[in-house]
Structures are given as C-alpha cells and as structure tokens.
Amino acid sequence: NPTDMAFEYTKYYSLYKLFDVKIKNALFLGGGSYTMPNALISEFPNANIEVVEIEPELYELSKKYFNTNENIKNHIYDGRKFVKNSNTKYDFIFSDVYHSKYSIPIHFTTIEFFEEVKTKLNDNGVFMINLIGSLTDSTPSFTLSEIKTLI
C-alpha cells in the first residue's frame, strides 16, 4: 500500500496540509524508504515528485520492498548541491538527511543552506525538516540550536 509508512515518524510529512498547499512540485532530500514521496504521489498523482538520495542502492531497495512509484524522479546526488543547482521552484521541500542514526551532515544545518532552500520555494511553499533531539534547554540541544538557525 503506497500510503503505509515504514517508520512512525514518517507520517508527520503530512503536516504540510496545515498550510493548505496544493503540491505540483515536491522535493525530498534523503530518500530513506521512499514511503513519504510514495504517499505524496498517491495524493497528487500528477505532481512532479523528486528525491535526492546520495546512497545509490536505496532507490532500488525501495522499489523492491516498498513498491516505490516509478513516477518519482530519483537523483543520486548530494542534496545540498542539488538544491544549489536546481532551477525548480517547489511547493514542498522535506529534508530527511542523516549521516548516521542521529547525525545530520553539517552542510545541511547552516544558515546558508536554509537561505538556499528558501530561494527554491514557491511563495506559499512549505519546508520541513526531520530533526532528532530534545526541546528542553536543560542540556545543550541541537534541536533548539537548529530552530534558532532557521529563524
């Protein structure tokens, strides 16, 4: 089923609906199991859904085990470089890039990256990012630092 999520957190991609955006162009930075792009293309079958994934084997695995829709455009490339070089404006960009289970590559955490993403969004476009961390300030929090970087 294309709307089944491989992991619990992936269902939160649908929070874009809070912004009443109609998706014609969407970009996922990091493919993971491709269940989020799969679910989105089932909602918007005529949309241009692109995934940038640096690990070449994930796309083939997602087609084999998660029935990834063949209309999803897959790019084997570094997501930050892709954003920088893209001429497309997106209605939705979702960043889900990890170097390890809890580590985001540093070049996806900077003001410059977020400014670049902003230039690729349509006027009412939505940008979401998957961050693993704590919202408490009792210990140093990467999540709170990242929120400060975003605003």
Side-chain angles (χ1 to χ4, degrees), residues 59-84:
Y59 183 59
E60 294 305 318
L61 289 171
S62 76
K63 288 192 297 186
K64 182 175 180 179
Y65 295 106
F66 296 104
N67 300 314
T68 294
N69 188 305
E70 294 286 335
N71 292 323
I72 293 171
K73 294 182 182 114
N74 191 61
H75 307 276
I76 308 299
Y77 204 67
D78 177 80
R80 174 131 182 211
K81 288 180 185 177
F82 184 89
V83 168
K84 182 177 176 76

Side-chain angles (χ1 to χ4, degrees), residues 1 3 46 49 65 84 91 94 98 122:
N1 184 350
T3 58
N46 296 319
I49 310 291
Y65 295 106
K84 182 177 176 76
D91 304 300
F94 190 97
Y98 278 83
N122 285 322

Side-chain angles (χ1 to χ4, degrees), residues 133-144:
S134 172
L135 292 175
T136 64
D137 60 0
S138 60
T139 59
S141 169
F142 173 74
T143 303
L144 292 178

Side-chain angles (χ1 to χ4, degrees), residues 12-27:
Y12 293 105
Y13 89 93
S14 63
L15 287 172
Y16 78 85
K17 295 174 185 177
L18 294 172
F19 301 96
D20 195 35
V21 61
K22 303 296 182 234
I23 296 178
K24 294 180 184 165
N25 288 305
L27 177 63

Side-chain angles (χ1 to χ4, degrees), residues 42-145:
S42 72
E43 292 177 56
F44 299 96
N46 296 319
N48 172 49
I49 310 291
E50 296 181 74
V51 176
V52 182
E53 171 57 57
I54 201 160
E55 174 56 57
E57 293 183 24
L58 282 183
Y59 183 59
E60 294 305 318
L61 289 171
S62 76
K63 288 192 297 186
K64 182 175 180 179
Y65 295 106
F66 296 104
N67 300 314
T68 294
N69 188 305
E70 294 286 335
N71 292 323
I72 293 171
K73 294 182 182 114
N74 191 61
H75 307 276
I76 308 299
Y77 204 67
D78 177 80
R80 174 131 182 211
K81 288 180 185 177
F82 184 89
V83 168
K84 182 177 176 76
N85 296 329
S86 176
N87 293 320
T88 304
K89 291 277 193 170
Y90 296 95
D91 304 300
F92 181 61
I93 298 175
F94 190 97
S95 182
D96 190 18
V97 293
Y98 278 83
H99 175 70
S100 67
K101 188 173 182 178
Y102 298 111
S103 173
I104 296 174
I106 191 107
H107 63 294
F108 287 92
T109 65
T110 65
I111 291 171
E112 294 81 7
F113 170 67
F114 296 129
E115 288 173 346
E116 193 73 49
V117 166
K118 187 175 181 180
T119 69
K120 305 305 176 180
L121 286 171
N122 285 322
D123 290 340
N124 294 320
V126 174
F127 172 63
M128 293 177 65
I129 183 170
N130 175 30
L131 293 175
I132 296 174
S134 172
L135 292 175
T136 64
D137 60 0
S138 60
T139 59
S141 169
F142 173 74
T143 303
L144 292 178
S145 295

